[in-house]
Amino acid sequence: MKVRWRRILVLCLLAAWIGTAWRQAHRPLPAGLHVASPVCALAADEVTFIADISAADAFGRATVSQGIFDSVLELVRGARRFIVLDYAAFGGAAVAAEPQRRIAAELTQALLEQRRTRPDLNILFISDAASAGGESAPAPELQQLRAAGVELVATDLDSLRDSNLLYSSLWRLSGRTAPRRLNFKANARKLIIADDGRGGLAAVIGSASPLDSQSAWSNLATRVGGGALQSLLASELAVARFSGWQGSSEAYGAHADCAPAAAASAAQSATTVQVLTEGAIGAQLIAQLDAATATDAIDVAMYRIADRAVIEALLAAARRGIGVRVILDPNEAQMSGGAAGIPNQVVASELMSRSGGAIHVRWYRTHGERFHDGLVMIYGPQRAWLLLGSAQLTRRSLGDYNLEADAAIEAARAAPLAQQALGYFETLWGNRAGLGIEYTADFAVFANPAQSDYWLYRLMEASGFAAF
């Protein structure tokens, strides 16, 4: 009898675990997530491509080119009515080593100066719970901003879906007493949106965080205006709202017209922008990859690639005769929820092997920093489609688990933005630089065909017990 009751108890606990895991993995998303804005036409000068590039010359000296947070600071100083910031991480240097740039202090001082100059300016700062002090004291810079009247919101990560099937359900069943960090949840959006001082909207959407310890990382961003930002602004306010913010949405409003998509597509020279968040990013990316033809080419510059749907779409594109090139961070620096070299090294080996060498891969030469790009380009003789922002090509970024924000931009291939993006990729791919700089290395340098590591990656990706 005791054995039977023990079996019943074990089965009940197993059923509760599986049921909780399924329910939390499929729960309805909070309002304002999985956004696909209207496709809006805009002038060529309303969208720019911005790259932060870190490398080393032949003598090992760092060479750094930065522009993302210069654009962020410019947007802050140009705002007249409101500023909304959403950054996963924010704060000064947490290590003894001197950071390349004290981004957090620069941004903090710019925001404080705007508050002093314009006391009526509304500033809303959304961050990940850890940065905002969800389990500890908030970053000192955030405390300064709060004292100056900036509205701070720590994202309610518990409202998001659970992806870690081996841990998150047990965490919920245990009364949430175990460490939260093993849930691997994050608000990974990295953006600022504000009025442009002329009644419209402007934003910088990218992959860079204002964290001093990450100031030397390579990143990409775009500064964009236009009507597509209305949807992004509404989404940001919705995130703040489900995270406990009780402020006035009316204080954060501006008018921005959106030209109809049909009118934009009628003009071959038109530039269009669509804002995408969470799973809408993955849906649009897969649609674009599947629609690519043999006259197109695909370039990818990414910090992490692990999502199975994206991998299969790239392989299918290569089978259709499309040229595919991929630049990846070697993932040599181990981070939370992963192992050195995983997932990129084994995924790159899979892409090369299964495509018969039709997909070409190069590795970014890092020197302690990260190659933290998030860029996909699909382009033909006339047009170029770019996807860039915070999302990585991973299950968490593209599967409605993390909070993410990207901009999908389509332009004539001869347009300045497309030429800048294509030139950027060619510079890295072909090591087109002086001073002995080698941006990227051959695939063989970090190739990892080991089946044990490959199946470890597959297990980590499928179970959610990883940060990718």
Side-chain angles (χ1 to χ4, degrees):
M1 183 65 70
K2 288 184 178 180
V3 173
R4 179 182 297 177
W5 279 109
R6 287 175 183 172
R7 289 177 178 174
I8 292 174
L9 178 60
V10 169
L11 289 174
C12 289
L13 290 174
L14 183 61
W17 175 51
I18 295 174
T20 300
W22 189 92
R23 185 176 67 254
Q24 295 299 333
H26 297 85
R27 65 187 297 177
L29 292 171
L33 303 189
H34 195 112
V35 170
S37 79
V39 179
C40 301
L42 70 171
D45 61 358
E46 286 188 282
V47 57
T48 56
F49 179 83
I50 314 168
D52 284 359
I53 306 175
S54 292
D57 64 18
F59 300 97
R61 296 173 300 198
T63 63
V64 179
S65 172
Q66 294 186 329
I68 294 176
F69 280 100
D70 292 336
S71 294
V72 169
L73 295 174
E74 181 181 347
L75 194 151
V76 167
R77 291 164 182 148
R80 297 294 179 266
R81 296 183 53 242
F82 72 88
I83 302 170
V84 177
L85 307 99
D86 192 343
Y87 287 105
F90 178 68
V95 294
E98 192 73 12
Q100 194 278 327
R101 180 177 179 181
R102 295 197 175 276
I103 297 174
E106 288 186 48
L107 181 54
T108 298
Q109 291 306 312
L111 292 170
L112 293 175
E113 181 60 31
Q114 279 293 84
R115 284 287 298 170
R116 286 191 292 268
T117 304
R118 301 181 180 279
D120 295 335
L121 180 71
N122 296 286
I123 304 177
L124 176 64
F125 199 129
I126 305 168
S127 69
D128 205 320
S131 179
E135 293 184 340
S136 60
E141 293 82 2
L142 289 177
Q143 295 181 15
Q144 286 183 268
L145 294 174
R146 175 182 287 140
V150 173
E151 298 182 279
L152 302 183
V153 177
T155 308
D156 179 11
L157 300 179
D158 294 351
S159 295
L160 305 182
R161 290 176 176 173
D162 292 343
S163 64
N164 188 343
L165 304 180
L166 298 177
Y167 181 81
S168 295
S169 58
L170 295 179
W171 173 79
R172 289 185 182 274
L173 290 171
S174 68
R176 307 181 185 184
T177 56
R180 292 176 181 268
R181 63 183 181 86
L182 292 180
N183 288 317
F184 298 122
K185 292 187 178 187
N187 174 1
R189 294 184 182 184
K190 300 170 180 67
L191 63 94
I192 177 172
I193 182 169
D195 75 281
D196 61 6
R198 302 184 301 274
L201 291 171
V204 175
I205 304 168
S207 61
S209 294
L211 195 66
D212 287 4
S213 59
Q214 298 179 6
S215 63
W217 291 15
S218 295
N219 281 289
L220 292 177
T222 180
R223 175 165 176 165
V224 63
L229 296 180
Q230 294 278 20
S231 298
L232 179 60
L233 178 59
S235 178
E236 288 300 318
L237 296 179
V239 171
R241 191 71 68 191
F242 76 67
S243 299
W245 180 63
Q246 298 180 347
S248 170
S249 298
E250 294 181 359
Y252 298 88
H255 179 72
D257 293 324
C258 177
S265 60
Q268 284 296 312
S269 61
T271 298
T272 65
V273 172
Q274 182 182 32
V275 172
L276 303 165
T277 72
E278 291 78 54
I281 301 170
Q284 184 61 254
L285 173 59
I286 295 298
Q288 293 288 335
L289 290 173
D290 290 346
T293 67
T295 60
D296 294 322
I298 299 171
D299 289 343
V300 177
M302 199 65 49
Y303 173 62
R304 274 181 174 152
I305 179 169
D307 183 78
R308 298 309 303 172
V310 172
I311 291 166
E312 294 300 332
L314 290 173
L315 289 166
R319 288 193 292 270
R320 297 196 304 273
I322 299 170
V324 180
R325 300 184 298 178
V326 183
I327 299 175
L328 296 172
D329 184 281
N331 290 169
E332 283 293 279
Q334 189 171 347
M335 297 186 70
S336 62
I342 295 177
N344 286 2
Q345 292 181 17
V346 293
V347 171
S349 297
E350 178 187 9
L351 290 172
M352 291 283 285
S353 174
R354 290 182 60 192
S355 70
I359 294 178
H360 302 279
V361 178
R362 291 185 67 82
W363 304 101
Y364 198 84
R365 287 261 190 209
T366 56
H367 303 80
E369 83 289 353
R370 312 280 194 275
F371 179 69
H372 199 247
D373 284 19
L375 171 68
V376 178
M377 295 188 291
I378 305 173
Y379 55 94
Q382 302 299 324
R383 302 287 292 174
W385 183 84
L386 286 69
L387 178 72
L388 72 162
S390 66
Q392 297 296 307
L393 301 184
T394 66
R395 175 171 172 261
R396 294 192 181 281
S397 287
L398 306 180
D400 282 325
Y401 294 112
N402 282 356
L403 299 188
E404 306 281 358
D406 272 32
I409 305 166
E410 186 171 359
R413 181 166 174 172
L417 178 131
Q419 288 297 300
Q420 290 168 2
L422 292 170
Y424 165 83
F425 193 93
E426 290 294 344
T427 296
L428 302 190
W429 186 267
N431 288 317
R432 297 179 179 176
L435 304 175
I437 294 174
E438 184 182 22
Y439 292 117
T440 58
D442 290 340
F443 165 73
V445 174
F446 292 106
N448 182 3
Q451 286 296 295
S452 57
D453 284 347
Y454 175 77
W455 288 110
L456 174 60
Y457 140 69
R458 291 296 299 270
L459 176 62
M460 295 170 72
E461 196 267 345
S463 68
F465 210 97
F468 53 82

